[in-house]
Amino acid sequence: MELFSRPASVSYDDIKRQSPEEFRKEWEEWRRLREDYMKEPYGWLSLTSIDWLENGEPKTLDGFPGTWLQQGDAVIYTPPEDGGIVITNHDAPVSEPVRINVPEKGDFNLEDFYNGDVRAQLIKRIGVQHQFAIRIRDPHSAGIGQLQSIPSFEPDQRWVFPAKFEPAEQHEDVTVGAVAGELSHDETSIGILHVDFDGEKRDLIVFEVHNDDSGARRIDEATGEYVYLNNRANITNEGHVLFRDKTSGHESYGGARVIGFDNSDPASVSYVDFNRSMNLPCAFTVFCTCPFAPLQNTLPFAIEAGEKKPAVFGSLE
């Protein structure tokens, strides 16, 4: 998820020295980039469905030709027999069944298959009954046209607070809940953001940023075969904070909002700007599996800054 963080060179004092007009102008440019990102052809609003696989049961989808079959830790996609339909994967036509094997537990964005410009994305999540799902992305989705703007609180410099980032000596997984009830997420904790809320100090867990793209993998030197990497692979120099506050579930989205920052130079992190708090994708569409904020990141007061709760696109019925 793109977070549009300021450069690491920008300090708390730099922001506080801005005039209200300068601050608003910069925020409006950030908001424009954010809204453009949400409207990208294969962005979150392009999602039109999510279908979970049942182990051992073949599944066909209304929105994409072919058959999907989960066999334990693997999924086999079989293209349609109709020779007039061309399915591609990694820019090559798919004429035979494709087996995707992922024995590891975790959150993975695995493979993209295309039927014209419609994309079927195979994902794996941490679930009790369900692990693999197919999400359909359509660049002509009604959801993209539905979003005119993201409702937000008015920008105000008083919601910029001094903060220090303390990197963790060793990264560790933190299990959090998810909007899809039976699922959970293993978020990678990379440190603590110490925030001074006008004299009230809070320590917020910082997670590694997710990679939304599919197909992150490497060659296993022992076997010579591809091994898929989880969706935190290939992300560097950026952390994010999932948080809730007294506006959550009321003015703002209930699961969590997120703030990102450049941590390429941890010692230079000097602030957190809640005016740039963003909704998770699940605030916009029902076809996502977003995490909840950890309990430690639940604030006992209202953060009346950043994005408000938007209209939700789609239905799971």
Side-chain angles (χ1 to χ4, degrees):
M1 179 174 170
E2 180 64 61
L3 299 175
F4 305 106
S5 305
R6 290 186 180 93
S9 58
V10 177
S11 71
Y12 175 78
D13 290 337
D14 291 334
I15 297 172
K16 286 298 188 177
R17 278 195 294 265
Q18 288 182 313
S19 69
E21 293 76 20
E22 290 172 326
F23 185 79
R24 171 177 279 277
K25 183 178 180 180
E26 188 181 79
W27 176 83
E28 288 176 346
E29 174 61 15
W30 167 84
R31 187 184 187 193
R32 182 189 66 78
L33 292 172
R34 162 70 171 155
E35 291 178 347
D36 287 349
Y37 165 76
M38 288 302 299
K39 297 175 185 178
E40 287 181 352
Y42 291 105
W44 293 109
L45 290 175
S46 73
L47 290 169
T48 60
S49 65
I50 183 169
D51 290 273
W52 294 92
L53 300 181
E54 302 285 348
N55 192 29
E57 298 183 13
K59 191 175 190 68
T60 57
L61 308 178
D62 291 338
F64 200 89
T67 304
W68 307 82
L69 174 63
Q70 179 185 349
Q71 293 183 334
D73 289 325
V75 171
I76 299 170
Y77 170 69
T78 302
E81 295 181 358
D82 183 351
I85 299 176
V86 178
I87 305 298
T88 60
N89 173 241
H90 296 285
D91 297 321
V94 178
S95 57
E96 301 289 338
V98 178
R99 183 182 181 89
I100 299 102
N101 189 47
V102 191
E104 296 85 359
K105 170 188 170 184
D107 297 324
F108 296 83
N109 299 328
L110 296 167
E111 291 287 349
D112 291 335
F113 294 84
Y114 287 86
N115 175 31
D117 57 3
V118 176
R119 176 195 294 176
Q121 180 188 40
L122 177 66
I123 65 173
K124 184 177 184 180
R125 296 293 183 260
I126 304 170
V128 177
Q129 295 181 334
H130 300 105
Q131 295 181 333
F132 292 97
I134 301 100
R135 295 195 295 210
I136 302 299
R137 294 179 185 258
D138 186 341
H140 308 291
S141 163
I144 296 174
Q146 175 180 294
L147 181 68
Q148 300 302 313
S149 64
I150 301 173
S152 301
F153 292 97
E154 284 294 302
D156 192 322
Q157 284 158 289
R158 71 188 181 94
W159 295 106
V160 181
F161 297 98
K164 298 292 183 184
F165 176 55
E166 180 184 353
E169 292 184 3
Q170 184 173 348
H171 295 181
E172 62 180 48
D173 283 346
V174 176
T175 300
V176 298
V179 293
E182 66 146 322
L183 299 184
S184 61
H185 286 279
D186 281 350
E187 300 292 326
T188 302
S189 171
I190 62 173
I192 296 294
L193 190 67
H194 304 286
V195 186
D196 185 346
F197 291 97
D198 296 329
E200 182 172 344
K201 296 183 178 179
R202 293 274 167 175
D203 296 337
L204 305 180
I205 301 173
V206 179
F207 291 136
E208 194 170 29
V209 175
H210 289 194
N211 176 20
D212 298 331
D213 297 330
S214 300
R217 55 188 185 174
R218 62 175 175 80
I219 295 289
D220 187 318
E221 294 181 359
T223 65
E225 297 182 353
Y226 281 115
V227 176
Y228 287 95
L229 306 178
N230 67 34
N231 65 5
R232 293 178 298 281
N234 300 331
I235 296 292
T236 58
N237 297 332
E238 200 164 30
H240 70 183
V241 174
L242 298 172
F243 75 95
R244 299 183 78 250
D245 65 279
K246 288 295 186 180
T247 72
S248 300
H250 303 286
E251 297 98 326
S252 67
Y253 172 61
R257 287 187 288 169
V258 60
I259 301 177
F261 62 94
D262 185 327
N263 63 357
S264 56
D265 179 12
S268 72
V269 176
S270 60
Y271 69 91
V272 58
D273 183 357
F274 284 94
N275 293 282
R276 299 192 177 201
S277 305
M278 297 184 296
N279 293 312
L280 292 176
C282 288
F284 299 91
T285 172
V286 299
F287 305 126
C288 295
T289 63
C290 304
F292 289 146
L295 183 61
Q296 183 172 328
N297 289 6
T298 299
L299 301 173
F301 42 81
I303 298 292
E304 295 176 332
E307 292 181 354
K308 294 182 178 180
K309 187 163 52 178
V312 182
F313 171 71
S315 172
L316 293 175
E317 297 181 357

